Amino acid sequence: MLYSILKKMAGYRLYVSFILLLLMLLSGICSYGQQLPLSLWYKAPAAYWEACVPLGNGRLGATPDGGVDKENITLNDITLWSGGKQDADMPNAYQYLPQIQKLILNGDNIKAEELMGRYFKCAGVGSGQGNGAKVPYGCYQVLGNLSILYDYGTTSTSANYVRKLAIDSAVASTTFRLDGTGYRREYFTSFQHDVIIIRLTASASHHINFKLAIGRCEHAKSTISNGILQMTGQLDNGSGGLGMKYLTQVKIKQEGGSLREFKDSVQVSGATTATIYISTATDYKRSDLQNFVSKTLETAYHTNYSTEKAQHVQRFKRLFDRASLTIKGRDRSDLPTDERLENFRTDTTDTGLPSLYFQYGRYLLISSTRPGLLPPNLQGLWANTIQTPWNGDYHLDINIQMNHWPLDVTNLGELNQPFYSLVKSLVGPGERTAKAYYNSPGWVAHVITNIWGFTSPGEHYSWGAFNTGSAWLCQMLFTHFEYSNDLNYLKEVYPILKGSATFYLHALVRDKQHNWLVTAPSNSPENAFYLPDGKAASVCAGPTIDNQLIRFLFNATEQSARLLKIDNGFRQQLTETIKQLPPDQIGKNGKLMEWLDDYRATDIHHRHVSPLWGLYPGNEINPNTPEILQAAKALLEERGDIGTGWSLAWKMNLWARLHDGDHAFELFHYLLKPVTTTEVNMSNGGGSYINLFCAHPPFQIDGNFGGTAGISEMLLQSSNGYIEILPALPKVWANGSYSGLCARGGAVVDVEWADHQAKKVCIKSISSGIFKIKLQKEITEVNIKTNGKLRKANVPTNGLLTLKLLKGESAVLETKI
Ligand code: FUC
């Protein structure tokens, strides 16, 4: 009986192995290259917060420092904000609008600014100049710190220390030996049961001794009962009252030894293993705080550790494993990441580092947002202070958008949902702001927003008047559609686009000099210029970026209405208005103009490269507009390479769009410049900390996402109506492969290349359509395999190969030179 069961099982196993092998072979048809193991690792504990490895499950974050005797684990919850809902609109601001517009259009920008300083800014203190923790705007804040004091009963020092983050499984570890015993800690923020878990083990029994406490430097009360350590508090609402509540519980499961409770800490002695569970939540959109936190804690606590970990890894991998990148060459993963970063300063042959960085951006995105919650903020979801830089908020003039640049192209489309839902939540407040300042229907958002729906202008006109933040958000929503071709999604977002387009249709004013329709007042984000009389001003009409953004929005809204077969009249109105928007202009020095008039910028190296929006992420500047393309390049050259972290990443994408892979790589090289300072630097300090977090400085995550997008943009582009394979490959990336990158139109692309030439390209279609593939010009022969049939294709004279694919079909192109 037993024999026959075993025989059946063996047969079953064989059968399963066969199926697995078949699946591997089948997926291998299109999936090129094997992803090398991916990790960040160090030989010493983190000496400062930006050296800690980040863990996150889209809601909870943890950054353990891996200290041997004393460990600090910084804890985060992406919803933990001070401040609260407020009405920050100046109710009668619109009354001053005609006067402000007239002044600007007559060249009296300074007088316009004076008026704006009084009547055309947000009511109150706005973001508190980026320090909004105690004002109504609020601030994203650290949740607290878990501190663990270990006791090894020895004065010996540790050996073989390794601190590691496996970004392909979202598990961190710390290992070392002490007096002959091996110690191991494992940490993860579970995607399964939504708790933070730390497991302590040792190679010998009863060797785990520690004291654990949880704290926060304000608004926190710690208590203990029935072995559960609890921290609770309520933050400032910024209006003199109490705001958001939070609750954190910690419970330890141990094998062997004993547990003692103190007033606000616990002590574990002589355990063989100990697993620490941290459950936490805020009352942001939740009324059952206590219930949720306890229930989540108990569910995880009663799940077997290995099962929990396996499920966590599996859920994470479901997203992470969709894309891979291998650049052949040297892989210096033998070096600890801090040394590797330092080595890369002079040795760019470490082609494993760009692959790691690419995947790290995807790791950080999966870890810092999740459907149903919030998009990644300025620091993703990792913060170690109460007053996070710039409030850890959502800036709409580059930062939140850059956070989402890699999303579609690197196959993480569902992570668009939190972004979409944040934008949707701005429509209501944005309609009130549109009325208050512009007496206009539709909705508008300016430069900054928070989880409380802030849409008013910023507190100072020099940066706070930029009013196409909302158009830029809409561009992101529409671009997501371009990748998926999902009409149901388009139907959902259409009212948001229409509301935004409605706003600009009403708010644009006639610039009599050129007879164009322009925004006024506005800024070219955070930059200023000299007026003819030599005075510096920031407020203007129709900066180039506004014209480009509105053109994109109107076109996208018109196209959406056409696809959805609605709003004919509205479509016509959009088409008519598009013709009246200012075109991109070239100044007398041959550079793309940043403003309507050919003003000189007060800072020609300014970090914001706003007029180049039309080149990337927009697409109106492209090879079909050669003169403007040239002028855009000239402007980019004048701006120079050096900048803040995100500015480097933006320029990397721009050089990729200009098909200059080596220059894009140079920018990537700057992005990986080792940085240790966290002092704010607004001009030239960009680089990376040793945990590969992007340094603005201070730490700001947009550069990570922009860098990942930049690498993708070097490998694949699809912004001009066709799919371009390896459009900006640098010399140092001669051979390699990737799989799972996505192109507009609904294609998933895998490529294998050698000597800078694509050898094999696989296009999988996720939505039926006609795909145009731009071949590298050296290619002389193409064989196409569709549905198992091989045929030789004529190499088209214009280099564009057309493929018609039904949903789910794929084509393999084999090319020869
Ligand atoms: C904008 C940028 C800054 C910084 C801040 C968070 O103000 O100009 O460089 O990224 O956002």
Side-chain angles (χ1 to χ4, degrees), residues 378 389-390 393 395 397-399 447 463 525-526 606-608 644 646 681-682 696 700 702:
L378 285 173
W390 288 288
D393 68 4
H395 273 53
D397 63 348
I398 179 64
N399 316 87
V447 187
W463 56 271
E526 309 186 35
H606 200 273
R607 61 193 182 285
H608 283 267
T644 59
W646 61 257
N681 179 327
M682 298 304 281
H696 179 288
Q700 207 170 282
D702 37 25

Side-chain angles (χ1 to χ4, degrees), residues 68 80 171 248 497 592 598 617 815:
V68 174
L80 188 67
V171 177
T248 310
L497 305 192
L592 180 67
D598 200 4
T815 59

Side-chain angles (χ1 to χ4, degrees), residues 327-597:
I327 306 171
K328 287 194 190 145
R330 287 173 84 205
D331 182 274
R332 297 307 313 269
S333 48
D334 58 308
L335 290 177
T337 308
D338 45 345
E339 290 175 34
R340 193 174 189 186
L341 194 63
E342 193 56 45
N343 174 66
F344 198 68
R345 253 188 217 272
T346 49
D347 173 16
T348 53
T349 61
D350 178 6
T351 49
L353 191 56
S355 305
L356 178 69
Y357 193 87
F358 166 82
Q359 290 291 32
Y360 192 47
R362 298 183 67 245
Y363 166 85
L364 292 172
L365 194 54
I366 300 169
S367 307
S368 62
T369 187
R370 72 155 73 143
L373 222 54
L374 289 163
N377 59 45
L378 285 173
Q379 298 197 171
L381 54 63
W382 297 279
N384 68 331
T385 51
I386 298 288
Q387 178 57 65
T388 308
W390 288 288
N391 300 320
D393 68 4
Y394 300 100
H395 273 53
L396 313 183
D397 63 348
I398 179 64
N399 316 87
I400 191 176
Q401 290 90 352
M402 187 177 280
N403 281 3
H404 296 82
W405 283 355
L407 186 141
D408 286 303
V409 65
T410 75
N411 219 330
L412 298 173
E414 49 272 75
L415 300 183
N416 180 63
Q417 194 282 336
F419 174 78
Y420 155 68
S421 99
L422 182 91
V423 179
K424 193 172 170 195
S425 76
L426 298 182
V427 172
E431 284 173 349
R432 291 191 286 279
T433 299
K435 268 260 154 321
Y437 290 82
Y438 307 88
N439 198 20
S440 177
W443 71 280
V444 64
H446 293 77
V447 187
I448 47 172
T449 195
N450 52 15
I451 64 163
W452 309 116
F454 189 93
T455 48
S456 316
E459 61 266 26
H460 198 269
Y461 58 78
S462 62
W463 56 271
F466 173 67
N467 66 16
T468 44
S470 32
W472 198 340
L473 296 174
C474 289
Q475 172 260 323
M476 298 290 294
L477 292 180
F478 183 76
T479 298
H480 179 65
F481 162 75
E482 292 187 290
Y483 277 89
S484 66
N485 265 347
D486 177 354
L487 282 173
N488 290 327
Y489 164 78
L490 190 66
K491 219 181 204 163
E492 270 182 54
V493 297
Y494 178 73
I496 304 178
L497 305 192
K498 186 178 176 189
S500 179
T502 302
F503 167 75
Y504 296 106
L505 280 174
H506 285 80
L508 294 175
V509 284
R510 183 74 56 194
D511 152 43
K512 294 224 177 65
Q513 196 193 335
H514 306 91
N515 206 25
W516 291 327
L517 284 174
V518 296
T519 51
S522 192
N523 307 120
S524 183
E526 309 186 35
N527 206 354
F529 53 91
Y530 293 109
L531 290 161
D533 63 5
K535 288 193 183 132
S538 335
V539 162
C540 63
T544 303
I545 186 172
D546 280 7
N547 310 327
Q548 297 172 342
L549 277 165
I550 294 170
R551 196 163 18 249
F552 188 103
L553 171 70
F554 285 0
N555 276 314
T557 310
E558 193 279 330
Q559 195 183 328
S560 307
R562 179 155 35 91
L563 289 168
L564 297 170
K565 301 190 174 69
I566 48 174
D567 286 344
N568 261 329
F570 189 62
R571 275 179 57 198
Q572 261 172 24
Q573 202 185 343
L574 290 169
T575 313
E576 279 309 307
T577 316
I578 289 169
K579 294 180 206 150
Q580 303 175 60
L581 295 172
D584 290 323
Q585 301 183 79
I586 303 175
K588 53 186 175 304
N589 56 15
K591 295 180 190 104
L592 180 67
M593 280 161 54
E594 179 154 2
W595 293 276
L596 217 49
D597 292 307

Side-chain angles (χ1 to χ4, degrees), residues 585-760:
Q585 301 183 79
I586 303 175
K588 53 186 175 304
N589 56 15
K591 295 180 190 104
L592 180 67
M593 280 161 54
E594 179 154 2
W595 293 276
L596 217 49
D597 292 307
D598 200 4
Y599 296 133
R600 192 160 59 88
T602 54
D603 177 4
I604 58 168
H605 304 302
H606 200 273
R607 61 193 182 285
H608 283 267
V609 284
S610 311
L612 298 172
W613 187 92
L615 176 61
Y616 185 97
N619 56 359
E620 68 175 46
I621 304 177
N622 60 53
N624 295 323
T625 61
E627 280 157 23
I628 299 289
L629 192 70
Q630 193 49 42
K633 188 174 174 192
L635 181 69
L636 184 57
E637 272 162 354
E638 181 183 68
R639 277 295 213 269
D641 288 343
I642 303 306
T644 59
W646 61 257
S647 179
L648 296 171
W650 193 351
K651 292 170 196 163
M652 179 182 173
N653 283 278
L654 289 164
W655 282 110
R657 278 277 165 96
L658 287 168
H659 290 176
D660 189 336
D662 284 334
H663 207 141
F665 182 78
E666 248 178 79
L667 266 305
F668 175 68
H669 195 207
Y670 286 125
L671 196 57
L672 287 188
K673 188 187 80 187
V675 170
T676 48
T677 178
T678 53
E679 288 281 298
V680 175
N681 179 327
M682 298 304 281
S683 57
N684 58 8
S688 296
Y689 297 106
I690 64 167
N691 66 358
L692 301 186
F693 267 171
C694 183
H696 179 288
F699 161 48
Q700 207 170 282
I701 206 157
D702 37 25
N704 285 95
F705 296 135
T708 293
I711 293 173
S712 313
E713 205 61 27
M714 292 160 80
L715 302 170
L716 178 78
Q717 289 180 22
S718 62
S719 52
N720 292 324
Y722 48 81
I723 299 172
E724 226 174 327
I725 313 290
L726 307 176
L729 208 54
K731 280 192 205 75
V732 282
W733 296 355
N735 304 294
S737 58
Y738 64 78
S739 69
L741 291 192
C742 300
R744 289 170 183 79
V748 183
V749 184
D750 301 350
V751 174
E752 199 177 281
W753 77 92
D755 292 332
H756 297 98
Q757 299 300 326
K759 295 286 171 207
K760 256 192 193 172

